[in-house]
Amino acid sequence: MKLSPKIVTGALHSQNKGACDWGWQGLLAYGCHSFVVIVDPKNVQVIQVLDKHKSNVVKVKWARENYNHDPGSPYNLRLVSADASGVIVTWDVIPGQSKAEFSDGQRPIQDLEWLSNQDASHDLLVALHPPYSLILWNADTGTKLWKKSYTEPLLSFSFDPFNIRNVAFLGQDCIVFVDDFSITKTPSSNGKKFYISSPSSQATNMKTEGSSGSLDKKSTSRNLAKRMSKMLVGEGPSKKSGGEEESVTLNECLQLEFHRACRHHLILVYPREILLLDLEINQTVGIITMERTGSPFVQVLPLRQRDVMLCLHENGSITTRVRRKTNVITTPASEGVGAFDDSPPHVSMDVAYDMRCQSDSLRVTRHSKVAGMACCPMFERSVVLIMTDSRVIFWEVLMMEPMIGSGRHSHSPLHTPGSSIPEDISKLSSTEKLPVITDLAPPKLSLCDMIGQSQVMTPDNQAFHRGKGVALKFVMTGLMSGISTPITVTRMCPPLTTKNWSMYQPLLAIGSNNGTIQILHVSSGQIEREYSVHAGPVRGIEWSSLKSFMSYSYPNPGQSGLVKNELLMVDVLSGKITTLRCNHDQEPPIDLLRISYLKQYFVICFKEKPLELWDLRSLTMLREMGKSIPRPTALEWSPSHSLKILRRKLLAQSISDSDKEGIGIFSKSSDVMTTSKSSSGQEVSESSDTMGVQKVSLKEHFVFTDGEGNVYHFVVEGTSFIDATKIPAESGLGGISCIAWKGECITFGDSDGQLCIWDLKGRTSRTLPTHRGWIKKIRFAPGRGNIKFLIMYNDGVDIWDIKDSKPELTGSVKSPREIAKIVDCEWCGSDRVVLATTIGCVYVTDLTLKNLTSPVDDWDLPGQVWCPYMLTNKASLLLKYLLQHQPWNTEYSLKLEGMMDDDADMQTAINNQLNLLDRDVTQYIGNSRFGTAERCLLVARLFGDESDLLFWTVALHYLKSEKLQPANKGGNSSRERERERYVPPTKEANDLVVLDNPEEVAQRQLVEQLFQDPPLERHFDTICSNTSFQKYQLDRVALHDSKRATYDHTKKCAENYVMLGQTDRAVQLLLETEPESDHYYTDCLRACLVASIRSSGASQSTIKLVATNLIANGKLTEGVQLLCLIDKGMDACRYLQTYGAWEQAVWLAKATLSYTDCCEVLKRWVDHLCSTQVNQKSKALLVMLSLGHFPKVLEMLYGMRQFNRAACFAEACMEFGLLDMTPETKSLVEAIFLEYARQLINLGHRKAAEYYCHHAGEKGTQLMKEVDILFS
């Protein structure tokens, strides 16, 4: 049991709204007043509270894990938080210490974000300071790299996840776009300003729901069309707009966020609708409207794994909205058709989201609102809500069977990704290493394991047939609450003694203003129990044993000064409540409740009424004090009692009992027998209500003081007072407000701040002034011979120690100057103090009263935490390597053995973590179907390693597709044949004579079925296969076409059609130009050119010459279009790359070029990404993977010193049979294995190092000798 310093938090401050984040590390952080609370979501427990800020925390962000982890950049828990006074603190969470603290003067923080999507540094932090300053910080050192001031007041910002140069700012009445964000230099431009214009006012927008009648229906459709035409217009609202057009105010926009699953999309959240803007056409392409009876939107979290949005509503419910399968135009119109057919496509191309599930709404009140929402970035299926009343609520999205035939699932069904193994698997030839035949299904950890892509799951995709229909539902998986505020009183349970240490738990009872009493486990920092027992504020608590306490309460007195008192006895374990004094009606309020040290009696004092003496064992009143005795101002029982008398009485009692019953009773009361004459009664056993003592009553005595300072001493035995003495008042003392008694020492405190100490043994008294005003409470510390005591004043707490009968001040804290105002204080150990404050937080601190935090290891947590980041650097890496691949073991084992003695602690820690893995993971991970690659992907998810997750998702996808159809073998490429898989077989195809062996055909079909993978999700963008990329681009152009509103927009669509080879639609759009337009003539000529280009071959050279001239003279897009017209896409891409338009070159290559040409363009792009000024090697790796050039990927990994990843990838390629062992490749793999062996030696794993040395050629043999020496 460790009573380490810690903070236990309560309700949140209004400024803490939005200060929460769920990190890739698997932990949740949120701000509560000036503290940052760290929660382990799996066990639903607080594991750390960080204290450094002086004002309220407004932003909290976990560091991103999007870099390769190795001994140089290990796994660690880094967090950054910002407060209302503008101070930003970077934390090392495990020890609970700050690494850096920095600010830009006193200016507060509007928004905060770690800079990802770049490989230069993982310490960069972007902060927005009001009104419009953007600062790039190095969060590790607190250095300011640059500062940029814009011209518009800015409220928040969002980085484009697909392009680090793009940032969108939400202004007060506009959106500002910046496209020159850079790490190395301050952005030069002030950004482009956009307003949202709409042809209809918000009022008419709201009237479109639930109309009836034909007239209304017409107007509804018109209004919807108007409403969908909301668009971004450039600087200043358009001057041409008619009287009806008006600018929509942005000031009610709640949130601006880039879409994380689709490129070029921006989400704007309003209370009644969510707009989805396409930034290529600056127009609304989708709108999610709130149902008329629905609760308004508050916040939206766009997810990445699937095109899904989590929406938080005002009533505390969360809805999951999944992208609907739109009526896409999958095949372009055939040549020569519809050039003059003006009828638009009849299908709706708008982006739409269907609500798939909704969590229950919460009771939102003034004191209980949602302060923040966060989603787990690893699995994207768990959501947390943080409430202002300190509750933390965890929801999880689960799968269930869909309800067949229910009307509400009329929209496109959800399907699982479809990864089941076919039944006839046994026919597969046994020569193949993969797939591993297993009955176990892969664990469904994340959202992408539960539902397939809504856009891809078309019935002609084979994965669709293997996936089954599912529905989703929200389930509450955890609820945690902090301390109820405001706190009125605290009381620590009886102290630890040699007799009770085996069963002792350090419990603190905390009473609140609303009548609840919470039990806090001081060593774990968790609230264990909560009892709602009183109707009014809890006024006092006293423990009657280790497992029960008494409490009293009364409402605030009225004019008469009389109240209805409530006095209860509560059993902590069962929650059973016994009511005392229930027959009393209106009377003066209870002033004091004190229980005697032997737990025989208790005394109740009232404000204007004589005190009552009660028997604690039978809970009966023994007698009421006479009216002549004055009312007590302070009262204390004596801790000393005579052991000899107790023994004698018990002995006599047990003899007479054994005569009657024939059995001894000593066994039952033996623990009472051994109680010593303890200093503060703490050694009196808790079993003092055993049968033996029940019948024995001992003399106990108490003292109290009256209003004039006289001290009265009473002795109680049996059922009455047997002696009473009065000691006259001490001179120089005011009205006594509190008494404490321990051993031979009694201390008195008065309302003027005077402290008087009586030494009963030496018969001396000493009075000294504290100069701090009214002494509210004095308490002695527990423990024999420990005569420290604390004094609580109105403005703080002091700790004194009596040395050589002289009191000395050892610790002091002023409140509210140093900490929040203190309501109550208690000792919770011989050298630990608990302070309760008005903000609802409880501090456990040491004797200095200054130390409030301690490392996570010192928290005595009830649940073990799965978090590799909390291990040492060596241990976390070794755990990862062990889980990823174990070729050195014949059987895959989840136990680490054979480490050296120095590393015994590390071995234990790793094995403890391995034991915490879920059963479905441990069963599958050893037999993963696709070997090392799939296992590495699973480990990346478990670790929350963003970089590994991206790499292995792409690697596994392309390993499977290469296995299915190798890219470079045969004339026809895998990526072009991939398209054929989506085309249903026609009759003509079946008429061909089949000469293949039927067994081989069956075998090939089986392999296809196993390795067929659904296309990558859209957020992979340029990493997706060319087929799915082309399909997506055609859908987008068709969508843009359906939204055309201006000439520029139509022109852009026509240009895109030209580049994508859709010439007929391009001609149609060019001929739409109005005769009044300046461009009428040129567009007509362009239409003629585009229409006639195919027929004339001689014109090609002329057009090429014109195109190059245009490009040379700065008309890049026009030149590129001409080159695309004559099928010179490759040249067009080269020109684009030369002029730095890399993104457009890649777009054009992937959308139009053949596989080999596309490879050439992408390889040049990879070289560009690897260059020092761009430094995006991790992106380049993924591009290389998508091309299927696996040896080149290994070479790049080796060059980037990512030896663990390289070794695992080499093993994965070998398992798939996709690595041609040429001499160059063989030496590369040996070099990788050699370096990996070195890493394993440094981590102390001999067996693994030896295995890789064996496979690392000659140098490996030499290294092997070193291993033998090192580990001998």
Side-chain angles (χ1 to χ4, degrees), residues 791-838:
I791 304 178
M792 180 177 145
Y793 312 97
N794 239 340
D795 66 345
V797 171
D798 281 350
I799 292 183
W800 296 72
D801 194 357
I802 299 178
K803 291 180 179 167
D804 307 329
S805 70
K806 278 185 188 169
E808 284 179 19
L809 184 66
T810 62
S812 177
V813 66
K814 304 270 198 306
S815 82
R817 199 163 77 204
E818 291 170 33
I819 59 171
K821 186 146 176 58
I822 296 171
V823 185
D824 202 358
C825 56
E826 275 286 304
W827 290 95
C828 59
S830 56
D831 57 351
R832 291 283 182 263
V833 178
V834 175
L835 307 175
T837 60
T838 48

Short mmCIF file of all heavy atoms in Angstrom, two decimals, residues 791-838:
data_model
loop_
_atom_site.label_atom_id
_atom_site.label_comp_id
_atom_site.label_asym_id
_atom_site.label_seq_id
_atom_site.Cartn_x
_atom_site.Cartn_y
_atom_site.Cartn_z
N ILE A 791 -2.92 22.12 11.83
CA ILE A 791 -3.85 23.17 12.24
C ILE A 791 -4.46 23.76 10.97
O ILE A 791 -3.73 24.12 10.04
CB ILE A 791 -3.15 24.30 13.02
CG1 ILE A 791 -2.40 23.72 14.22
CG2 ILE A 791 -4.14 25.36 13.45
CD1 ILE A 791 -1.65 24.77 15.01
N MET A 792 -5.78 23.82 10.91
CA MET A 792 -6.45 24.41 9.76
C MET A 792 -6.99 25.78 10.14
O MET A 792 -7.66 25.93 11.15
CB MET A 792 -7.58 23.50 9.31
CG MET A 792 -8.32 24.01 8.11
SD MET A 792 -9.56 22.82 7.65
CE MET A 792 -10.85 23.90 7.11
N TYR A 793 -6.63 26.78 9.31
CA TYR A 793 -7.12 28.14 9.49
C TYR A 793 -8.08 28.48 8.34
O TYR A 793 -8.26 27.70 7.43
CB TYR A 793 -5.97 29.14 9.46
CG TYR A 793 -4.79 28.80 10.32
CD1 TYR A 793 -3.67 28.18 9.78
CD2 TYR A 793 -4.79 29.11 11.68
CE1 TYR A 793 -2.58 27.86 10.57
CE2 TYR A 793 -3.69 28.81 12.48
CZ TYR A 793 -2.59 28.18 11.93
OH TYR A 793 -1.51 27.88 12.70
N ASN A 794 -8.57 29.70 8.40
CA ASN A 794 -9.40 30.17 7.28
C ASN A 794 -8.60 30.30 6.00
O ASN A 794 -9.14 30.17 4.91
CB ASN A 794 -9.96 31.56 7.64
CG ASN A 794 -11.46 31.53 7.62
OD1 ASN A 794 -12.06 30.65 7.02
ND2 ASN A 794 -12.08 32.50 8.29
N ASP A 795 -7.28 30.58 6.13
CA ASP A 795 -6.47 30.86 4.94
C ASP A 795 -5.34 29.86 4.75
O ASP A 795 -4.29 30.19 4.23
CB ASP A 795 -5.90 32.29 5.02
CG ASP A 795 -4.91 32.42 6.17
OD1 ASP A 795 -4.88 31.53 7.04
OD2 ASP A 795 -4.15 33.41 6.19
N GLY A 796 -5.53 28.63 5.20
CA GLY A 796 -4.50 27.63 4.93
C GLY A 796 -4.34 26.60 6.02
O GLY A 796 -5.19 26.47 6.92
N VAL A 797 -3.24 25.85 5.94
CA VAL A 797 -2.97 24.75 6.87
C VAL A 797 -1.50 24.80 7.27
O VAL A 797 -0.64 25.08 6.43
CB VAL A 797 -3.29 23.38 6.19
CG1 VAL A 797 -2.82 22.22 7.05
CG2 VAL A 797 -4.79 23.25 5.92
N ASP A 798 -1.23 24.55 8.57
CA ASP A 798 0.15 24.41 9.06
C ASP A 798 0.33 23.01 9.61
O ASP A 798 -0.61 22.40 10.11
CB ASP A 798 0.41 25.38 10.23
CG ASP A 798 0.67 26.80 9.74
OD1 ASP A 798 0.82 26.97 8.52
OD2 ASP A 798 0.70 27.72 10.59
N ILE A 799 1.58 22.51 9.57
CA ILE A 799 1.90 21.26 10.26
C ILE A 799 2.98 21.56 11.30
O ILE A 799 4.00 22.20 10.99
CB ILE A 799 2.38 20.19 9.27
CG1 ILE A 799 1.21 19.78 8.37
CG2 ILE A 799 2.93 18.98 9.99
CD1 ILE A 799 1.50 18.71 7.40
N TRP A 800 2.73 21.14 12.53
CA TRP A 800 3.66 21.37 13.65
C TRP A 800 4.13 20.02 14.18
O TRP A 800 3.44 19.02 14.07
CB TRP A 800 2.96 22.13 14.78
CG TRP A 800 2.51 23.52 14.42
CD1 TRP A 800 1.49 23.86 13.60
CD2 TRP A 800 3.07 24.75 14.89
NE1 TRP A 800 1.38 25.22 13.52
CE2 TRP A 800 2.33 25.80 14.31
CE3 TRP A 800 4.12 25.07 15.77
CZ2 TRP A 800 2.59 27.14 14.55
CZ3 TRP A 800 4.38 26.41 16.02
CH2 TRP A 800 3.64 27.43 15.41
N ASP A 801 5.33 20.06 14.76
CA ASP A 801 5.86 18.86 15.41
C ASP A 801 6.33 19.27 16.80
O ASP A 801 6.96 20.32 16.95
CB ASP A 801 7.02 18.32 14.58
CG ASP A 801 7.39 16.90 14.99
OD1 ASP A 801 6.75 16.38 15.94
OD2 ASP A 801 8.29 16.31 14.37
N ILE A 802 6.00 18.45 17.81
CA ILE A 802 6.44 18.79 19.18
C ILE A 802 7.75 18.06 19.45
O ILE A 802 7.78 16.83 19.49
CB ILE A 802 5.37 18.40 20.21
CG1 ILE A 802 4.08 19.17 19.91
CG2 ILE A 802 5.86 18.69 21.63
CD1 ILE A 802 2.93 18.84 20.81
N LYS A 803 8.85 18.83 19.55
CA LYS A 803 10.16 18.23 19.83
C LYS A 803 10.64 18.80 21.16
O LYS A 803 10.67 20.02 21.33
CB LYS A 803 11.16 18.60 18.72
CG LYS A 803 10.81 17.91 17.40
CD LYS A 803 11.80 18.27 16.30
CE LYS A 803 11.45 17.55 15.01
NZ LYS A 803 12.16 18.08 13.86
N ASP A 804 11.02 17.90 22.06
CA ASP A 804 11.47 18.33 23.40
C ASP A 804 10.43 19.27 24.03
O ASP A 804 10.78 20.34 24.54
CB ASP A 804 12.83 19.03 23.34
CG ASP A 804 13.86 18.18 22.62
OD1 ASP A 804 13.72 16.94 22.72
OD2 ASP A 804 14.74 18.73 21.94
N SER A 805 9.18 18.86 23.92
CA SER A 805 8.02 19.60 24.44
C SER A 805 7.91 21.04 23.92
O SER A 805 7.24 21.86 24.49
CB SER A 805 7.99 19.58 25.97
OG SER A 805 9.04 20.39 26.49
N LYS A 806 8.64 21.30 22.77
CA LYS A 806 8.49 22.61 22.13
C LYS A 806 7.88 22.38 20.74
O LYS A 806 8.39 21.57 19.97
CB LYS A 806 9.86 23.27 21.95
CG LYS A 806 10.37 23.97 23.17
CD LYS A 806 11.67 24.68 22.83
CE LYS A 806 12.31 25.23 24.11
NZ LYS A 806 13.68 25.69 23.86
N PRO A 807 6.79 23.11 20.38
CA PRO A 807 6.22 22.95 19.04
C PRO A 807 7.03 23.68 17.98
O PRO A 807 7.48 24.80 18.20
CB PRO A 807 4.82 23.54 19.18
CG PRO A 807 4.88 24.43 20.37
CD PRO A 807 6.02 24.02 21.23
N GLU A 808 7.26 22.99 16.83
CA GLU A 808 7.99 23.61 15.71
C GLU A 808 7.15 23.50 14.45
O GLU A 808 6.54 22.46 14.21
CB GLU A 808 9.32 22.86 15.46
CG GLU A 808 10.39 23.16 16.45
CD GLU A 808 11.66 22.35 16.16
OE1 GLU A 808 11.79 21.86 15.02
OE2 GLU A 808 12.48 22.20 17.08
N LEU A 809 7.17 24.55 13.64
CA LEU A 809 6.42 24.55 12.38
C LEU A 809 7.24 23.81 11.32
O LEU A 809 8.39 24.17 11.07
CB LEU A 809 6.16 26.00 11.94
CG LEU A 809 5.31 26.21 10.69
CD1 LEU A 809 3.89 25.75 10.93
CD2 LEU A 809 5.30 27.68 10.30
N THR A 810 6.67 22.76 10.69
CA THR A 810 7.45 22.00 9.69
C THR A 810 6.93 22.19 8.27
O THR A 810 7.64 21.94 7.31
CB THR A 810 7.43 20.48 10.00
OG1 THR A 810 6.08 20.04 9.94
CG2 THR A 810 8.02 20.19 11.35
N GLY A 811 5.67 22.58 8.11
CA GLY A 811 5.15 22.75 6.75
C GLY A 811 3.98 23.71 6.79
O GLY A 811 3.27 23.80 7.79
N SER A 812 3.77 24.45 5.69
CA SER A 812 2.68 25.42 5.69
C SER A 812 2.21 25.65 4.26
O SER A 812 3.02 25.62 3.33
CB SER A 812 3.18 26.72 6.29
OG SER A 812 2.17 27.69 6.25
N VAL A 813 0.92 25.84 4.08
CA VAL A 813 0.39 26.18 2.76
C VAL A 813 -0.66 27.26 2.94
O VAL A 813 -1.47 27.21 3.87
CB VAL A 813 -0.16 24.95 2.02
CG1 VAL A 813 -1.38 24.36 2.69
CG2 VAL A 813 -0.49 25.28 0.57
N LYS A 814 -0.61 28.29 2.08
CA LYS A 814 -1.60 29.38 2.13
C LYS A 814 -2.64 29.12 1.05
O LYS A 814 -2.29 28.76 -0.08
CB LYS A 814 -0.92 30.72 1.86
CG LYS A 814 0.25 31.07 2.77
CD LYS A 814 -0.22 31.83 4.00
CE LYS A 814 0.89 32.57 4.72
NZ LYS A 814 2.05 31.81 5.12
N SER A 815 -3.92 29.31 1.41
CA SER A 815 -4.94 29.18 0.37
C SER A 815 -5.86 30.39 0.49
O SER A 815 -6.11 30.85 1.60
CB SER A 815 -5.72 27.88 0.54
OG SER A 815 -6.73 28.01 1.52
N PRO A 816 -6.36 30.98 -0.59
CA PRO A 816 -6.24 30.45 -1.95
C PRO A 816 -5.01 30.97 -2.72
O PRO A 816 -5.01 30.89 -3.93
CB PRO A 816 -7.52 30.98 -2.61
CG PRO A 816 -7.82 32.25 -1.88
CD PRO A 816 -7.28 32.11 -0.49
N ARG A 817 -3.97 31.45 -2.02
CA ARG A 817 -2.84 32.00 -2.75
C ARG A 817 -2.04 30.91 -3.47
O ARG A 817 -1.68 31.06 -4.62
CB ARG A 817 -1.93 32.77 -1.78
CG ARG A 817 -1.02 33.75 -2.50
CD ARG A 817 -0.43 34.78 -1.58
NE ARG A 817 0.66 34.21 -0.79
CZ ARG A 817 1.06 34.69 0.38
NH1 ARG A 817 0.44 35.73 0.90
NH2 ARG A 817 2.06 34.13 1.04
N GLU A 818 -1.76 29.81 -2.74
CA GLU A 818 -0.94 28.76 -3.34
C GLU A 818 -1.78 27.64 -3.95
O GLU A 818 -1.45 27.11 -5.00
CB GLU A 818 0.02 28.18 -2.28
CG GLU A 818 1.07 29.18 -1.86
CD GLU A 818 1.86 28.71 -0.64
OE1 GLU A 818 2.05 27.49 -0.50
OE2 GLU A 818 2.25 29.56 0.17
N ILE A 819 -2.84 27.25 -3.26
CA ILE A 819 -3.77 26.27 -3.84
C ILE A 819 -5.18 26.79 -3.59
O ILE A 819 -5.37 27.79 -2.90
CB ILE A 819 -3.60 24.85 -3.23
CG1 ILE A 819 -3.83 24.88 -1.72
CG2 ILE A 819 -2.26 24.26 -3.55
CD1 ILE A 819 -3.89 23.49 -1.11
N ALA A 820 -6.16 26.11 -4.19
CA ALA A 820 -7.55 26.55 -4.04
C ALA A 820 -7.94 26.56 -2.56
O ALA A 820 -7.30 25.91 -1.73
CB ALA A 820 -8.46 25.62 -4.82
N LYS A 821 -9.01 27.27 -2.24
CA LYS A 821 -9.41 27.43 -0.83
C LYS A 821 -9.71 26.08 -0.21
O LYS A 821 -10.41 25.25 -0.78
CB LYS A 821 -10.65 28.34 -0.77
CG LYS A 821 -11.04 28.68 0.66
CD LYS A 821 -11.62 30.07 0.78
CE LYS A 821 -12.10 30.37 2.18
NZ LYS A 821 -11.10 30.26 3.21
N ILE A 822 -9.16 25.85 1.01
CA ILE A 822 -9.29 24.55 1.67
C ILE A 822 -10.57 24.52 2.51
O ILE A 822 -10.86 25.45 3.25
CB ILE A 822 -8.05 24.28 2.55
CG1 ILE A 822 -6.81 24.18 1.66
CG2 ILE A 822 -8.23 23.02 3.37
CD1 ILE A 822 -5.50 24.14 2.40
N VAL A 823 -11.33 23.43 2.34
CA VAL A 823 -12.58 23.25 3.09
C VAL A 823 -12.34 22.41 4.33
O VAL A 823 -12.90 22.66 5.40
CB VAL A 823 -13.62 22.49 2.21
CG1 VAL A 823 -14.96 22.41 2.90
CG2 VAL A 823 -13.75 23.13 0.87
N ASP A 824 -11.52 21.37 4.18
CA ASP A 824 -11.27 20.44 5.30
C ASP A 824 -9.94 19.76 5.07
O ASP A 824 -9.42 19.71 3.95
CB ASP A 824 -12.41 19.40 5.36
CG ASP A 824 -12.53 18.78 6.76
OD1 ASP A 824 -11.71 19.13 7.63
OD2 ASP A 824 -13.43 17.95 6.96
N CYS A 825 -9.36 19.22 6.17
CA CYS A 825 -8.11 18.49 6.04
C CYS A 825 -8.07 17.35 7.05
O CYS A 825 -8.77 17.39 8.06
CB CYS A 825 -6.92 19.43 6.22
SG CYS A 825 -6.96 20.31 7.78
N GLU A 826 -7.29 16.33 6.73
CA GLU A 826 -7.21 15.12 7.55
C GLU A 826 -5.82 14.52 7.39
O GLU A 826 -5.16 14.75 6.38
CB GLU A 826 -8.22 14.08 7.03
CG GLU A 826 -9.62 14.23 7.55
CD GLU A 826 -9.75 13.77 8.98
OE1 GLU A 826 -9.41 12.62 9.29
OE2 GLU A 826 -10.18 14.57 9.81
N TRP A 827 -5.41 13.70 8.37
CA TRP A 827 -4.23 12.85 8.18
C TRP A 827 -4.71 11.55 7.52
O TRP A 827 -5.71 10.98 7.94
CB TRP A 827 -3.60 12.50 9.53
CG TRP A 827 -2.93 13.66 10.21
CD1 TRP A 827 -3.48 14.47 11.15
CD2 TRP A 827 -1.59 14.11 10.01
NE1 TRP A 827 -2.57 15.43 11.55
CE2 TRP A 827 -1.40 15.22 10.87
CE3 TRP A 827 -0.55 13.69 9.19
CZ2 TRP A 827 -0.20 15.92 10.93
CZ3 TRP A 827 0.66 14.38 9.26
CH2 TRP A 827 0.83 15.49 10.12
N CYS A 828 -3.98 11.09 6.47
CA CYS A 828 -4.36 9.78 5.93
C CYS A 828 -3.25 8.76 6.17
O CYS A 828 -3.36 7.61 5.80
CB CYS A 828 -4.70 9.88 4.44
SG CYS A 828 -3.35 10.50 3.43
N GLY A 829 -2.16 9.20 6.77
CA GLY A 829 -1.07 8.31 7.15
C GLY A 829 -0.21 9.08 8.13
O GLY A 829 -0.47 10.25 8.41
N SER A 830 0.85 8.46 8.63
CA SER A 830 1.66 9.13 9.65
C SER A 830 2.40 10.34 9.07
O SER A 830 2.79 11.24 9.81
CB SER A 830 2.66 8.15 10.25
OG SER A 830 3.43 7.60 9.20
N ASP A 831 2.60 10.35 7.73
CA ASP A 831 3.29 11.51 7.13
C ASP A 831 2.57 11.98 5.86
O ASP A 831 3.17 12.55 4.97
CB ASP A 831 4.74 11.14 6.79
CG ASP A 831 4.81 9.95 5.85
OD1 ASP A 831 3.76 9.32 5.62
OD2 ASP A 831 5.91 9.66 5.34
N ARG A 832 1.27 11.68 5.76
CA ARG A 832 0.51 12.10 4.58
C ARG A 832 -0.75 12.85 5.02
O ARG A 832 -1.46 12.41 5.94
CB ARG A 832 0.07 10.89 3.75
CG ARG A 832 1.22 10.17 3.05
CD ARG A 832 1.68 10.93 1.82
NE ARG A 832 2.75 10.24 1.12
CZ ARG A 832 4.04 10.49 1.27
NH1 ARG A 832 4.42 11.41 2.13
NH2 ARG A 832 4.93 9.83 0.58
N VAL A 833 -1.01 13.97 4.35
CA VAL A 833 -2.15 14.81 4.70
C VAL A 833 -3.09 14.89 3.51
O VAL A 833 -2.64 14.92 2.36
CB VAL A 833 -1.65 16.23 5.06
CG1 VAL A 833 -2.81 17.16 5.39
CG2 VAL A 833 -0.69 16.17 6.23
N VAL A 834 -4.39 14.90 3.77
CA VAL A 834 -5.39 15.09 2.72
C VAL A 834 -6.00 16.48 2.86
O VAL A 834 -6.43 16.85 3.96
CB VAL A 834 -6.52 14.04 2.85
CG1 VAL A 834 -7.61 14.31 1.84
CG2 VAL A 834 -5.99 12.65 2.65
N LEU A 835 -6.02 17.24 1.77
CA LEU A 835 -6.63 18.57 1.78
C LEU A 835 -7.81 18.55 0.80
O LEU A 835 -7.65 18.15 -0.35
CB LEU A 835 -5.62 19.63 1.32
CG LEU A 835 -4.27 19.68 2.04
CD1 LEU A 835 -3.36 20.70 1.39
CD2 LEU A 835 -4.46 20.02 3.51
N ALA A 836 -8.99 18.96 1.25
CA ALA A 836 -10.15 19.06 0.36
C ALA A 836 -10.40 20.54 0.06
O ALA A 836 -10.31 21.37 0.96
CB ALA A 836 -11.37 18.45 1.03
N THR A 837 -10.68 20.85 -1.22
CA THR A 837 -10.79 22.26 -1.61
C THR A 837 -12.17 22.60 -2.16
O THR A 837 -12.95 21.73 -2.51
CB THR A 837 -9.74 22.59 -2.69
OG1 THR A 837 -10.01 21.74 -3.82
CG2 THR A 837 -8.34 22.33 -2.20
N THR A 838 -12.41 23.90 -2.28
CA THR A 838 -13.72 24.37 -2.76
C THR A 838 -13.96 24.02 -4.22
O THR A 838 -15.10 23.95 -4.65
CB THR A 838 -13.84 25.90 -2.61
OG1 THR A 838 -12.65 26.48 -3.15
CG2 THR A 838 -13.99 26.31 -1.18
#
